[in-house]
Structure formats: C-alpha cells, structure tokens
Amino acid sequence: MESGASEASSLAAVEERELAALRAGDEAAFLALVNRNHRAMVRVASMYVRSRASAEEVVQDAWVGVLKGLHRFAARSSLKSWIFRILVNCAKTRGASEGRSVPMSGLTDSAPEEGPSVSPDRFSGDEERWPGHWSDPPEPWPDARVESSEMVALVCEGIEMLPDAQRTVMALRDVEGWDSGEVCELLAVSEGNQRVLLHRARSKVRAFVEERLGSGRPR
C-alpha cells in the first residue's frame, strides 16, 4: 500500500512540474506532451469522424483548446484525462457536422456481433467427450516470434481492421498502456462493456494473425 501511495505521489509531482512548465510557455514541454499523446488522440478522434484527415484536424483543434484552457485547468483529474475530454468534445462536434455519430450500441456489451470471435470449428461438438472445450486451442508464440517486426506489423494491421470501438479500446489498452478505468472514463462505458470490447478485439486480432501466418500456428 505504501509503495502504491508513493508512486501516485511521485506521478502527481511530475505532472505538477509539467503543468507549471506548460503554463510558463515551455515549448519543449508542450512538444513532449504532443508527442506522447498524439497517436492515441488520432485513434480516439477516428471513432467520431469520417476520415483520418478529419481526425488529424480534430486533434489540432483539441491542442488549441488545451493551450487556451491551461490556465483554467484545476487539476481535479489527470492532465491526460482533461486533454482527452477536450478531444472527445471536439471530435463529437466535428462528427455531428459531418453527419456521423457513434451509435451507443457500438460501445455496449449488447452490441450485435457480426459472428463469433473464434471459429466454432476450434471447439468440440456436442457429440464429443468434452463439448464446448477447445479441440484446436491457441498456442503461445515463442518470445522471439512475438517480438519480431513481422509480428508487430501483423498485429498493427489487425488492429486497424477492427470496428471503431473495438479498435480504440484495444489500442488504448494494449498499445498505449491505459488502464481499464481510464478507458471507461474516456468512452463513458461500463467496466463490463470495456472488457467485452477488449476481448472481442484481441480474439479477432489473434485470429487475423494466425490466418496470415498460415495453418493457425506460429512457424
């Protein structure tokens, strides 16, 4: 417990120094902030607008809003959470002007699913000894293969092919390193909904990678 409290205190101190630098007009601090968050901001904005170009423009608008609002930021939430709330507001406004909105069903665990995340052929049938259990289970890939540039490229390609909500949740959790609470707060979804979206996304990406590698097994 003491270790966790100490870590939280240390992170708060770092953010306080960063905020002070930003308010003082430190360009290096602002550039570091942009570099750290830009990729995730584009991913989130893409949920609400029609194109990557629109998402990039939304992110630029959000940064303008951040610069204008820094002196009003009361630090009742983390700086990152505040920045992404500005982003979502900008993205929703832009999406509405483009005639695009994110249906709430896309962010819930009751959303219609286009098919099972894992092929039914990989499970035992009702007539077999262990119905519903894996007949063709996934096998862990060797560390060397997982860390290879080929695997990284395939995973990134698989993520980009996911539906908007699933892509955003998996990217934030598995690529950007956000925790579940941060994702739930940003997207205004329950922990259960976030968990389902992440499970579906991971299953689809794994299936995509297995298919591309051939025979469903790492080489």
Side-chain angles (χ1 to χ4, degrees):
M1 182 70 72
E2 290 182 2
S3 176
S6 176
E7 182 178 351
S9 177
S10 177
L11 289 174
V14 169
E15 183 164 294
E16 187 175 336
R17 289 195 297 271
E18 180 179 40
L19 183 57
L22 292 169
R23 285 172 169 164
D26 187 325
E27 293 185 6
F30 181 68
L31 182 60
L33 186 69
V34 170
N35 288 339
R36 190 165 69 243
N37 292 289
H38 182 82
R39 179 178 60 181
M41 292 174 73
V42 172
R43 290 185 184 279
V44 172
S46 295
M47 286 182 60
Y48 301 91
V49 296
R50 291 187 177 275
S51 68
R52 171 73 181 227
S54 289
E56 292 278 3
E57 290 176 6
V58 165
V59 172
Q60 295 303 318
D61 291 342
W63 283 122
V64 171
V66 168
L67 288 173
K68 289 181 177 179
L70 272 173
H71 67 286
R72 297 192 304 270
F73 176 54
R76 285 190 289 268
S77 64
S78 70
L79 180 61
K80 180 173 73 174
S81 294
W82 177 71
I83 289 171
F84 275 83
R85 280 200 297 272
I86 292 175
L87 171 75
V88 168
N89 288 336
C90 290
K92 286 180 176 178
T93 299
R94 179 62 175 263
S97 70
E98 294 180 346
R100 180 172 192 238
S101 61
V102 178
M104 288 305 296
S105 62
L107 295 174
T108 65
D109 55 10
S110 60
E113 180 68 357
E114 58 272 24
S117 298
V118 180
S119 171
D121 294 339
R122 300 186 68 175
F123 299 93
S124 299
D126 292 338
E127 71 285 355
E128 299 183 57
R129 182 178 180 186
W130 304 107
H133 287 238
W134 286 104
S135 60
D136 182 20
E139 295 180 356
W141 288 307
D143 290 344
R145 186 68 187 276
V146 171
E147 295 171 359
S148 71
S149 58
E150 176 191 15
M151 180 67 76
V152 171
L154 282 175
V155 169
C156 290
E157 186 179 351
I159 290 175
E160 292 307 317
M161 295 176 68
L162 294 168
D164 288 342
Q166 293 176 22
R167 181 178 68 248
T168 301
V169 170
M170 185 171 181
L172 291 176
R173 290 294 311 277
D174 294 343
V175 179
E176 305 298 335
W178 288 37
D179 64 37
S180 60
E182 291 175 318
V183 174
C184 291
E185 179 183 0
L186 176 67
L187 301 182
V189 297
S190 70
E191 172 62 31
N193 293 338
Q194 184 266 163
R195 188 165 54 248
V196 168
L197 287 166
L198 183 60
H199 169 71
R200 289 177 177 175
R202 287 173 172 170
S203 297
K204 289 176 183 176
V205 169
R206 182 176 185 106
F208 170 81
V209 171
E210 288 184 343
E211 181 180 356
R212 291 294 296 272
L213 292 178
S215 74
R217 291 289 184 271
R219 290 175 292 188

